[in-house]
Amino acid sequence: MPWTDITYLLHKYGVSWGYYVFEGDEPDCESDEAVTCEPVKQGPKTPGIWNPLVDFGDVKEDDQTGNVQSLTNFYTAIQNQGECGLPNVSWITPNRVVSEHPPALVSNGQAYVTTLINSIMRSPCWGSTAVFLTWDDWGGFYDSVVPPDVDENGYGFRVPGLVISPYARAGYIDHQQLSHDAYLKFIEDDFLGGERLNPATDGRPDSRPDVREEAQGLGNLESDFDFCQAPRAPLILPAEPAPGPASPAPGTASPAAGSASPAADTASPAAEAASLAPAPCPAPPTSPPATGTTTPSPPAPAAPVLQLTASVAPRQDLRLNHGRIYLMVGCNMACSLYAHGHLNLTRGRVLHGRLLSGRRHLGLRSIRTSLVADRTAGISLSLSRINLTAVRRALAAHHKVKASIEVQGTAAGGKTQTYQVTVALTWR
């Protein structure tokens, strides 16, 4: 297919990517006019609407068709215990059973998505991951808001989107004008320094009339994050939660528990708050044990295990940070902390020869500090003036610079735990 997509830029700049296909039947009919159709099998090697990359010319030219994989490979990668096993950028597409397209059950799709996100939260990837959950359409055929006119292709009706990350703003509703182009814009800004595919200048097969990431009025998803906040802990949700209470009929309210009087037409705010409050915890039993029985001794408490956490924004600007790399760290018990690291410089032979005078790597200034139990604290590792100058020259020459940082916590009794993080560095 003569088309150029974002993977062309990712490959060009050495950014890893993966497209994971849930094998089975395609989620919907390929014809928008068809109400029903015969199921069409989909897999990593079968081109289709939900698996287009495997047939794109640039993906074949770059010899990256192997990046289109079975969803099984996603679960294998996410179970890597040493460090995050996923590529920098990942897409996941469903099959018919979990797609939420009619006649598939919405509950199947919800359980599928919950399982995916739970697996990320349980993995080393969580501290450096942003999950964008979105839909390509929805169950209605009407939108009360006329889409803005941006070019000859225009926008469609509105669809929902969720941002899930340790650094996502809690309870934040983004009122910007956004489209699916905003996801590409975020990836390009985060990993490619704002590089864009431009059909007018890049000389690639590209039939778009313009650069949609630069459309007037398009918002920026970076506003959905707060990288200064303490990283949010994982929130593991049940894949198949118990059903909630039945909804009352329109114009009525559920009667209060134990009340025999009919419900009023409108529930008061206090009554609504009471109905939403969780039931009080049952009181512990107070009756003595039966005669002739003995109360077993409680088991001896297990020795506490040191739990070290270290979270970092996956991309940091050294100019804004004044030559420092910031992390949030914490221990579940009082511990001493030692953090150190170095810079990984891609295209090392050219970079070392021209910019670094033969140095093998650039070190970061280490830091030692102490942490109190169950508290999160911010620390920073800095570069010397000479090393910072070398990094600026490397970035100006369009080389990639990443920091590899190791954090080691030591508690009483010699308990230790080590955490490793990687940060992409910029200078803007």
Side-chain angles (χ1 to χ4, degrees), residues 88-315:
N88 297 122
V89 180
S90 299
W91 291 271
I92 301 176
T93 188
N95 64 17
R96 179 183 290 260
V97 174
V98 298
S99 68
E100 300 185 22
H101 280 270
L105 296 175
V106 173
S107 57
N108 286 345
Q110 293 173 336
Y112 157 76
V113 170
T114 302
T115 301
L116 287 173
I117 296 175
N118 282 349
S119 66
I120 294 173
M121 288 186 171
R122 291 189 174 105
S123 78
C125 298
W126 171 242
S128 59
T129 292
V131 177
F132 296 103
L133 173 60
T134 187
W135 286 258
D136 62 345
D137 54 27
W138 63 298
F141 299 96
Y142 174 78
D143 193 337
S144 61
V145 177
V146 178
D149 185 11
V150 294
D151 59 21
E152 65 187 56
N153 293 324
Y155 289 155
F157 49 68
R158 294 173 296 176
V159 294
L162 299 175
V163 178
I164 302 169
S165 170
Y167 296 97
R169 297 179 185 272
Y172 179 69
I173 299 176
D174 193 336
H175 294 283
Q176 299 179 94
Q177 177 178 296
L178 296 167
S179 73
H180 286 91
D181 305 303
Y183 298 119
L184 300 181
K185 180 178 180 179
F186 182 87
I187 294 170
E188 291 162 351
D189 290 349
D190 194 35
F191 292 101
L192 304 172
E195 190 78 10
R196 305 280 190 255
L197 282 171
N198 190 334
T201 60
D202 57 26
R204 298 287 306 175
D206 191 342
S207 61
R208 297 177 302 161
D210 48 35
V211 181
R212 289 290 291 264
E213 299 94 310
E214 304 294 345
Q216 184 176 5
L218 181 66
N220 193 328
L221 287 169
E222 287 188 7
S223 65
D224 296 353
F225 297 88
D226 180 5
F227 293 111
C228 296
Q229 71 182 22
R232 186 173 294 104
L235 177 61
I236 306 300
L237 298 178
E240 297 182 1
S247 301
T252 65
S254 300
S259 173
S261 60
D265 288 341
T266 304
S268 67
E272 291 180 359
S275 66
L276 295 175
C281 297
T286 57
S287 56
T291 305
T293 63
T294 58
T295 304
S297 301
V305 177
L306 174 63
Q307 296 178 352
L308 170 69
T309 60
S311 298
V312 59
R315 187 167 177 262

Side-chain angles (χ1 to χ4, degrees), residues 310-325:
S311 298
V312 59
R315 187 167 177 262
Q316 298 193 27
D317 189 280
L318 289 175
R319 184 182 69 83
L320 296 177
N321 290 355
H322 304 288
R324 293 179 175 272
I325 302 171

Side-chain angles (χ1 to χ4, degrees), residues 73-81 84-86 119-120 123-125:
N73 291 1
F74 165 83
Y75 284 110
T76 300
I78 208 70
Q79 291 172 5
N80 185 15
Q81 295 301 312
C84 181
L86 291 175
S119 66
I120 294 173
S123 78
C125 298

